[in-house]
Amino acid sequence: RTEQTRTGENLGKLLEISNYSEFPWEHFQQLVIFRFFRSEWPKAFAEDFEKLTISDIVSSLHEKAALTVDHERMFNYLGEVRVAEVVADWFRLRMGREISVLRMGQERQEMYRLLIDFLTPFQGTFERGKSVQAFHTLLQMMPKYWSDLPSLNFSINLANGLITPEQTTSSGELI
């Protein structure tokens, strides 16, 4: 808290965590903002991603599209979520798929699928420009990470290199 007071940096929920299992999840969010954005993204994108919410991105598109009930549900769920949080989820999925999928939950994954579905017809026409286009491109990669090679509970056949997921329950327990 002293460092936060000194620097004025917004540390999100990091200082409000009540148990250790939540700490790595929130800490990674801060790594995305303070390390990955600054080293891997153009400065303008990083600044946009830190301050914009999903509502900011889709507000002008919302008026142009015929909304389904599912899209309305997605807007209600994700509307005030900052783009930085979604990008942090993308990094989490990229780096530790199954662990992130379990922690993220099915509902949030479904909301991301609906967001991708909503934004896709507007590809290349986003009013907010290149940073929103980059964000949409990132979103389109998410489903690949949900279904890619396993990152938890798998075996590798050393003779042929075949990677085989171990059977688990829906909560991630080995069968």
Side-chain angles (χ1 to χ4, degrees):
R1 293 184 196 280
T2 302
E3 184 70 11
Q4 181 184 26
T5 302
R6 187 184 69 75
T7 63
E9 296 284 354
N10 177 1
L11 299 178
K13 301 174 189 171
L14 193 61
L15 299 177
E16 300 162 17
I17 294 171
S18 61
N19 62 60
Y20 182 74
S21 69
E22 292 177 25
F23 179 78
W25 189 261
E26 293 300 328
H27 181 256
F28 196 80
Q29 169 107 8
Q30 299 309 309
L31 284 176
V32 167
I33 293 169
F34 294 112
R35 183 180 300 165
F36 298 137
F37 276 174
R38 292 179 181 159
S39 65
E40 297 183 16
W41 292 87
K43 185 177 181 178
F45 288 11
E47 289 171 357
D48 282 350
F49 288 174
E50 286 183 53
K51 64 184 174 188
L52 292 176
T53 65
I54 299 302
S55 288
D56 294 330
I57 289 176
V58 300
S59 60
S60 62
L61 305 175
H62 194 294
E63 299 163 2
K64 298 176 187 176
L67 295 178
T68 66
V69 172
D70 285 337
H71 289 145
E72 287 287 350
R73 189 169 52 96
M74 179 268 299
F75 290 133
N76 290 334
Y77 185 92
L78 290 176
E80 296 309 311
V81 172
R82 288 184 337 172
V83 171
E85 186 176 335
V86 178
V87 174
D89 282 346
W90 180 87
F91 273 101
R92 289 177 185 119
L93 284 166
R94 187 183 86 176
M95 296 177 169
R97 186 177 70 82
E98 281 112 340
I99 296 168
S100 298
V101 166
L102 288 171
R103 178 77 162 86
M104 189 180 301
Q106 291 294 323
E107 184 177 29
R108 190 157 182 119
Q109 289 176 60
E110 179 60 22
M111 295 302 114
Y112 286 153
R113 282 186 184 95
L114 289 168
L115 181 59
I116 294 164
D117 177 63
F118 178 79
L119 292 175
T120 297
F122 300 103
Q123 176 111 10
T125 65
F126 298 111
E127 291 179 13
R128 288 195 174 261
K130 291 182 179 181
S131 59
V132 174
Q133 186 64 48
F135 174 67
H136 181 246
T137 301
L138 262 176
L139 281 175
Q140 290 178 307
M141 292 179 207
M142 282 181 128
K144 172 75 171 145
Y145 294 134
W146 288 318
S147 60
D148 205 2
L149 291 173
S151 59
L152 180 71
N153 301 326
F154 62 92
S155 59
I156 301 174
N157 181 319
L158 297 178
N160 63 16
L162 184 66
I163 299 171
T164 308
E166 301 291 336
Q167 295 216 337
T168 60
T169 65
S170 61
S171 65
E173 303 287 326
L174 284 173
I175 297 177

